[in-house]
Amino acid sequence: MSVGVVIPAAGQGKRMGTKESKQFLSFQDRPILIHTLHIFETHPEVDEIVIAVREDEIGRVRQMVAEAGLKKVTHVVTGGQERQDSVYSGLQVLSSEWVLVHDAVRPFVSHEAITRLLTDVKMHGAAILAVPVKDTVKMVDAAGIVESTPDRKRLWAVQTPQAFRADMLMEAHEQGRKIGAMVTDDAMLVEELGIDVRVVEGEYTNIKLTTPDDLVLAEAIYQMRSKRL
Ligand SMILES: Nc1ccn([C@@H]2O[C@H](COP(=O)(O)OP(=O)(O)OP(=O)(O)O)[C@@H](O)[C@H]2O)c(=O)n1
Ligand SMILES: C[C@](O)(CO)[C@H](O)COP(=O)(O)O
């Protein structure tokens, strides 16, 4: 049963505030995107990788992939207006039975977490990495007034990869496009189909590089990992 990865990498990185989109920022002498791709290139259960990028970045990314010797990358496709559109573009060219969707800007997910996620999705069909929320979370209204405080014991901060049977995720995306669903992760589309999505515990170091402070965290995580090896 083959496993494919779709890497949405077509964002502008507005919150990072850098001229270069954050997925292409150099980190430890390699673009962040290459760090992320290398994780899946070296994972023994991954067979193919599809990357969705902005149209004007396709040539550059193909060159990066070739220079990095990433043999599992089968396609570099044009992403879309929203993250979900980029994922959908990637799904169009995927040929695997199982699919992992992973943000290009999460360069620290471990092989161990990916393996646990794959084990779970092959039993249940849909599974996502997430970590228990550490802070108290509140629902706040438009006026900035607290409306409610959900029970923290039931709150998880969702990460990627998110793993699905590929046909299930394709159906979920197609249904989402039919109803004009605007989602922030792929699991939301699968939940809309009434399918149970299982949570698999991830790692707090599996951060998404979103704002400049995350680059400071990234250095600390990298140093911590290097010392451990
Ligand atoms: N139209 C889009 C928007 C986002 N992404 C990708 O989805 C991942 C997570 O998105 P996010 O962190 O929000 O990235 P950006 O959209 O680039 O960030 P911002 O919202 O700050 O512009 C990133 O790898 C990003 O490149 C994508 O492929 N296509
Ligand atoms: C998919 C995701 O990483 C799960 O936490 C997150 O929703 C992506 O959000 P973004 O605004 O597209 O970065």
Side-chain angles (χ1 to χ4, degrees):
M1 302 283 265
S2 58
V3 173
V5 184
V6 174
I7 302 282
Q12 296 177 49
K14 293 190 286 288
R15 288 168 287 178
M16 187 59 79
T18 47
K19 188 172 180 305
E20 175 78 281
S21 297
K22 59 186 180 178
Q23 58 270 33
F24 301 119
L25 291 177
S26 181
F27 176 77
Q28 297 294 326
D29 299 327
R30 283 197 302 180
I32 286 166
L33 170 63
I34 299 299
H35 281 277
T36 302
L37 291 172
H38 188 261
I39 298 165
F40 296 96
E41 177 76 18
T42 55
H43 191 289
E45 292 185 66
V46 169
D47 303 291
E48 65 170 326
I49 302 169
V50 174
I51 315 166
V53 300
R54 288 197 309 276
E55 189 163 16
D56 61 344
E57 299 283 7
I58 287 186
R60 176 188 184 195
V61 171
R62 285 186 174 141
Q63 179 72 19
M64 282 178 180
V65 165
E67 285 167 2
L70 300 173
K71 305 279 185 257
K72 292 184 182 177
V73 175
T74 55
H75 296 83
V76 180
V77 300
T78 302
Q81 181 65 32
E82 304 295 333
R83 179 185 181 280
Q84 63 197 81
D85 302 318
S86 298
V87 174
Y88 184 66
S89 298
L91 288 175
Q92 307 289 320
V93 297
L94 200 77
S95 56
S96 298
E97 284 92 343
W98 301 98
V99 58
L100 299 174
V101 182
H102 185 67
D103 298 326
V105 291
R106 287 186 187 267
F108 297 117
V109 64
S110 69
H111 278 186
E112 186 270 337
I114 293 168
T115 300
R116 282 191 289 110
L117 183 70
L118 281 170
T119 302
D120 200 287
V121 74
K122 289 179 179 176
M123 283 191 284
H124 299 98
I128 60 175
L129 288 185
V131 289
V133 165
K134 295 179 185 176
D135 300 316
T136 293
V137 175
K138 293 187 184 292
M139 295 296 286
V140 179
D141 70 16
I145 307 298
V146 173
E147 280 182 335
S148 64
T149 305
D151 175 2
R152 189 170 69 186
K153 290 192 292 297
R154 300 193 56 201
L155 294 179
W156 290 71
V158 172
Q159 304 177 335
T160 67
Q162 301 193 346
F164 310 91
R165 273 206 346 264
D167 58 351
M168 175 198 290
L169 186 59
M170 178 60 90
E171 182 192 347
H173 269 267
E174 285 174 347
Q175 179 59 22
R177 293 168 78 85
K178 268 197 207 117
I179 63 173
M182 291 297 288
V183 297
T184 55
D185 76 345
D186 296 277
M188 283 173 77
L189 294 169
V190 174
E191 293 155 35
E192 271 300 306
L193 296 182
I195 293 169
D196 288 346
V197 176
R198 286 173 59 89
V199 169
V200 173
E201 186 149 1
E203 304 145 319
Y204 287 111
T205 49
N206 179 22
I207 63 172
K208 180 166 68 76
L209 306 184
T210 307
T211 51
D213 50 299
D214 294 324
L215 298 176
V216 179
L217 287 175
E219 279 299 337
I221 292 166
Y222 184 87
Q223 295 308 327
M224 180 177 73
R225 289 269 180 88
S226 311
K227 289 196 179 71
R228 198 184 294 169
L229 292 180

